[in-house]
């Protein structure tokens, strides 16, 4: 049983916090898989709006929605055909407007996803470029080039798509166009002023509607090295890799974000942007967060660090140093819609161990200074669904890559909300459709099944977020003080408004006895009672008021 000696007090401070994002807990909603309002098997905006009270009760500060714009869905909406329209599959603009208002009424901020590196091949600009042919100005808004080889039958350079295969596709008139992702996702040419102007206008469109910020897709990819030079080595590019390549993390991207920061500022200091930038190091990520650029960047180095005390301590230290140097908050994240869920990543083949570690990892993450991102379903302890039949999969990486590797459908299975029969309240009808099938075992993981059960992962998350909210020293501030601890154990103190706290995490496979640092606030699993010393079981974290 999870122990929590201190009752979780309700949030007390309702005054506006000027820099709310600095210690915000932000929850990612993946619209197609969150809640299906109309029963077609696909999640939608009315479904999300109806379930917002779950997020308020969970205790998060903001919700980030992955794209719901008009899209042929070649990459689950990250192929946008119209940046100002809601895809009918997800609802209407009125629904988007209503969702923002309802979220605000519940005290939740709303972040939308913006996809500026590429659009859909059905976007009117790309259609125009195809129609008008080689040499037409419409082609300059993308990267069209003649091919190489005697008849131009080879791609213009050796770049490979993140999803596998060449990053170039040849059109009927013989020219090739660049797509770092699927062929249905042509890259914009950010050397073209019209591209800048268009995205300024798109940002304003959603800011005018009332959105609190943006998550910037492939924020590190917009600018390509001039001349589009060959990489020169045959190494396959991976979405989650740490590549240094002529199309990622080029210095030129920063001017774009300085421009965007000015636009955000026009709407007041509370509108923010977070970069999805897979840079080689946290130091390179910090460059996106200089005072006149963006507010946050995802900490993918943290996400990709395994269950290893020394490695985690190292990435925590380097993240804080890098972010403090530019005055930006660190961010922490364990899962998103592109990676294997962390309950499975940490499992090493043992699901119970994976869940134990996932809960401990949550307490560690939520005790660090800065902002934390949660991915829908982690509050239910959902594992990755590893046994999806090929015929239901939709991830382009699955079809273009090598078999299972790189597939991202297993973390996108619709959420279980209630009931004993699939789709477990995801849609309105028992036995109704869901775009990916849910495992039968998820009946015991639904929100309804876990609510009120003190041992459930959902109640554990609710308590953790309530304690964090009541004790701002847990998330606020910039630094941690490491305490002496045995190998494989992390222990640190946080001091700030609301008191002083200690977080201890046993990452080893055996119980460890530690000096009791104070009063137990919350533990991820049962801890042994002790006078002066407390026994932390394997893979367990504890918060102490100390
Ligand atoms: C990152 C997004 O998170 C991912 O889902 C998408 O496939 C690529 N960017 C391309 O937009």
């Amino acid at each position: 049983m999870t122990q929590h000696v201190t009752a979780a007090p309700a949030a007390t401070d309702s005054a506006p916090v000027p820099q709310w994002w600095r210690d915000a807990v932000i929850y990612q909603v993946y619209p197609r898989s969150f809640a299906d309002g109309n029963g077609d098997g696909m999640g939608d905006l009315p479904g999300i709006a109806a379930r917002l009270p779950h997020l308020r009760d969970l205790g998060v500060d903001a919700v980030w929605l992955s794209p719901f714009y008009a899209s042929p869905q070649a990459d689950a909406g990250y192929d946008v055909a119209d940046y100002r329209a809601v895809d009918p599959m997800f609802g209407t603009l009125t629904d988007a407007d209503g969702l923002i208002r309802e979220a605000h009424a519940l005290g939740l901020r709303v972040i939308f996803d913006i996809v500026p590196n590429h659009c859909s091949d059905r976007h009117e600009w790309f259609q125009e470029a195809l129609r008008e042919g080689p040499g037409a100005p419409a082609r300059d808004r993308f990267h069209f080039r003649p091919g190489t080889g005697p008849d131009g039958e080879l791609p213009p350079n050796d770049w490979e798509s993140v999803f596998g295969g060449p990053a170039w596709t040849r059109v009927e008139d013989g020219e090739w166009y660049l797509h770092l992702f699927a062929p249905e996702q042509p890259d914009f040419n950010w050397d073209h002023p019209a591209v800048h102007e268009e995205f300024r206008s798109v940002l304003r469109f959603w800011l005018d509607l009332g959105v609190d910020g943006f998550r910037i897709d492939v924020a590190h990819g917009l600018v390509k090295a001039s001349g589009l030079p060959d990489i020169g080595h045959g190494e396959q590019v991976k979405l989650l890799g740490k590549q240094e390549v002529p199309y990622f993390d080029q210095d030129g991207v920063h001017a774009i974000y300085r421009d965007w920061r000015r636009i955000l500022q026009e709407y007041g200091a509370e509108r923010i942007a977070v970069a999805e930038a897979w840079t080689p190091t946290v130091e390179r990520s910090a460059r996106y967060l200089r005072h006149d650029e963006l507010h946050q960047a995802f900490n993918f180095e943290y996400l990709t660090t395994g269950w290893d005390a020394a490695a985690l301590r190292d990435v925590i230290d380097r993240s804080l140093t890098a972010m403090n140097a530019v005055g930006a908050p660190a961010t922490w994240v364990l899962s998103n819609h592109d990676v294997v869920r962390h309950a499975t990543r940490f499992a090493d083949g043992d699901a119970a161990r994976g869940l134990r570690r996932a809960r401990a990892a949550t307490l560690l993450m939520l005790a660090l200074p800065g902002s934390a991102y949660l991915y829908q379903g982690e509050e239910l302890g959902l594992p990755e669904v590893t046994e999806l039949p090929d015929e239901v999969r939709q991830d382009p990486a699955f079809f273009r890559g090598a078999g299972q590797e790189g597939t991202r459908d297993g973390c996108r299975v619709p959420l279980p909300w209630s009931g004993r029969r699939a789709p477990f309240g995801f849609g309105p009808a028992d036995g109704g459709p869901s775009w990916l099938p849910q495992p039968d075992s998820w009946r015991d993981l639904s929100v309804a099944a876990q609510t009120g059960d003190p041992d459930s992962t959902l109640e554990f998350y609710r308590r953790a977020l309530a304690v964090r909210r009541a004790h701002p020293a847990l998330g606020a501030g910039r630094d941690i003080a490491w305490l002496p601890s045995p190998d494989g154990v992390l222990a640190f103190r946080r001091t700030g408004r609301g008191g002083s706290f200690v977080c201890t995490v046993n990452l080893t496979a055996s119980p460890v006895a530690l000096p009791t640092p104070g009063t137990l606030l919350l533990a991820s699993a049962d801890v042994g009672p002790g006078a002066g010393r407390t026994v932390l079981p394997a893979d367990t974290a504890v918060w102490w008021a100390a």
Side-chain angles (χ1 to χ4, degrees):
M1 183 208 274
T2 306
Q3 293 183 356
H4 57 113
V5 170
T6 304
T12 48
D13 188 2
S14 57
V17 181
Q19 298 198 319
W20 64 272
W21 67 89
R22 287 191 169 270
D23 60 353
V25 177
I26 301 174
Y27 182 102
Q28 180 188 357
V29 163
Y30 194 63
R32 48 171 55 215
S33 305
F34 190 70
D36 170 16
N38 64 4
D40 65 356
M42 185 62 72
D44 48 43
L45 299 184
I48 297 168
R51 295 290 190 183
L52 286 175
H54 168 67
L55 302 184
R56 177 206 49 203
D57 296 347
L58 187 59
V60 300
D61 300 294
V63 45
W64 147 39
L65 273 73
S66 284
F68 49 78
Y69 313 115
S71 162
Q73 305 289 321
D75 183 19
Y78 282 96
D79 49 318
V80 180
D82 183 344
Y83 288 86
R84 297 174 188 80
V86 174
D87 196 286
M89 149 196 299
F90 294 122
T92 63
L93 200 53
T94 309
D95 294 329
D97 182 45
L99 191 144
I100 295 173
R101 281 164 208 284
E102 284 182 47
H104 285 171
L106 294 173
L108 297 165
R109 313 246 182 189
V110 183
I111 292 173
F112 284 175
D113 217 308
I114 187 112
V115 188
N117 179 67
H118 47 263
C119 57
S120 160
D121 60 350
R122 312 278 175 82
H123 189 283
E124 60 168 333
W125 282 9
F126 193 72
Q127 289 295 314
E128 195 185 337
L130 289 181
R131 270 195 316 272
E132 298 204 354
R139 289 221 164 167
D140 296 342
R141 297 185 291 215
F142 298 92
H143 296 280
F144 277 89
R145 293 285 185 282
T148 54
D151 300 310
E153 75 283 9
L154 297 174
N157 69 19
D158 65 358
W159 297 2
E160 294 190 351
S161 153
V162 169
F163 293 155
W168 296 90
T169 290
R170 198 174 194 190
V171 300
E172 273 179 14
D173 54 50
E175 281 204 325
W176 297 72
Y177 68 90
L178 177 70
H179 53 85
L180 293 183
F181 294 88
E184 296 88 351
Q185 293 168 292
D187 278 48
F188 283 115
N189 172 16
W190 275 87
D191 286 334
H192 197 298
V195 175
H196 290 254
E197 206 36 65
E198 171 65 359
F199 276 91
R200 288 183 194 117
S201 155
V202 169
L203 292 177
R204 288 201 168 93
F205 178 85
W206 294 107
L207 288 165
D208 286 339
L209 203 69
V211 79
D212 297 290
F214 300 98
R215 175 264 192 193
I216 304 170
D217 189 61
V218 199
H220 58 315
L222 278 50
V223 171
K224 279 74 180 174
S226 100
L228 312 184
D230 278 344
I231 298 175
H233 55 76
E235 204 178 295
Q236 180 75 30
V237 174
K238 296 191 181 68
L239 177 62
L240 310 181
K242 288 186 171 186
Q243 48 296 83
E244 285 184 49
V245 283
Y247 45 80
F248 281 157
D249 199 27
Q250 301 295 302
D251 287 345
V253 292
H254 296 285
I256 298 170
Y257 301 129
R258 284 194 285 274
D259 183 36
W260 288 17
R261 178 65 175 251
R262 284 191 291 271
I263 294 172
L264 291 166
Q265 289 292 138
E266 285 171 24
Y267 288 81
E270 294 185 29
R271 314 278 187 122
I272 68 152
V274 51
E276 189 229 14
W278 292 88
T279 65
T281 60
V282 284
E283 290 77 17
R284 291 294 297 187
S285 291
R287 300 178 81 240
Y288 292 73
L289 307 178
R290 290 172 290 195
H291 75 280
D292 55 351
E293 297 191 39
L294 305 175
H295 300 75
Q296 293 184 338
F298 292 126
N299 192 336
F300 291 124
E301 210 179 332
Y302 187 73
L303 184 151
T304 51
T305 301
W307 190 241
D308 176 288
L312 282 166
R313 180 171 170 158
D314 176 59
V315 68
I316 290 167
D317 280 342
R318 284 188 301 101
S319 303
L320 291 173
T321 304
M323 298 306 151
N324 285 341
V326 292
T331 67
W332 316 100
V333 59
L334 293 165
S335 282
N336 65 32
H337 65 291
D338 290 329
V339 300
V340 171
R341 284 184 177 277
H342 61 275
T344 299
R345 278 202 331 266
F346 291 150
D348 293 337
D350 174 344
R353 176 166 55 206
L355 183 58
R356 238 180 13 249
R357 290 180 175 175
R359 290 168 60 129
T362 298
L363 283 198
L364 169 60
M365 172 170 86
L366 292 177
L368 295 171
S371 176
Y373 279 82
L374 308 182
Y375 176 52
Q376 65 176 39
E378 71 173 74
E379 78 277 24
L380 305 176
L382 294 187
E384 183 81 357
V385 179
T386 50
E387 280 162 12
L388 288 170
D390 288 0
E391 59 274 16
V392 303
R393 290 181 182 275
Q394 299 205 10
D395 178 9
F398 177 74
F399 299 105
R400 291 177 59 85
Q404 295 284 350
E405 196 183 297
T407 189
R408 300 169 296 172
D409 288 314
C411 61
R412 299 175 176 181
V413 172
L415 291 193
W417 291 91
S418 60
R420 306 302 294 166
R421 258 185 92 196
F424 306 119
F426 167 65
D430 254 14
S434 66
W435 73 277
L436 285 174
Q438 303 149 307
D440 286 343
S441 56
W442 281 20
R443 69 167 61 92
D444 298 323
L445 296 180
S446 73
V447 172
Q450 296 196 40
T451 294
D453 172 357
D455 294 341
S456 72
T457 301
L458 176 58
E459 293 295 356
F460 165 72
Y461 263 75
R462 287 176 174 158
R463 279 198 301 276
L465 290 166
V467 173
R468 179 179 154 115
R469 200 168 262 234
H471 300 295
L474 275 166
R478 304 157 43 112
D479 297 304
I480 62 178
W482 293 107
L483 302 173
S485 61
D487 274 359
V489 174
L490 295 176
F492 57 89
R493 181 181 296 279
R494 308 282 333 275
T495 309
R497 194 157 60 92
S500 164
F501 293 85
V502 169
C503 176
T504 49
V505 193
N506 176 10
L507 293 99
T508 73
S510 322
V512 178
L514 296 173
T516 303
T519 310
L520 192 148
L521 277 173
L522 185 62
S524 65
D526 264 352
V527 300
R533 290 180 86 70
T534 304
V535 177
L536 253 66
D539 302 319
T540 300
V542 183
W543 286 351
W544 310 87

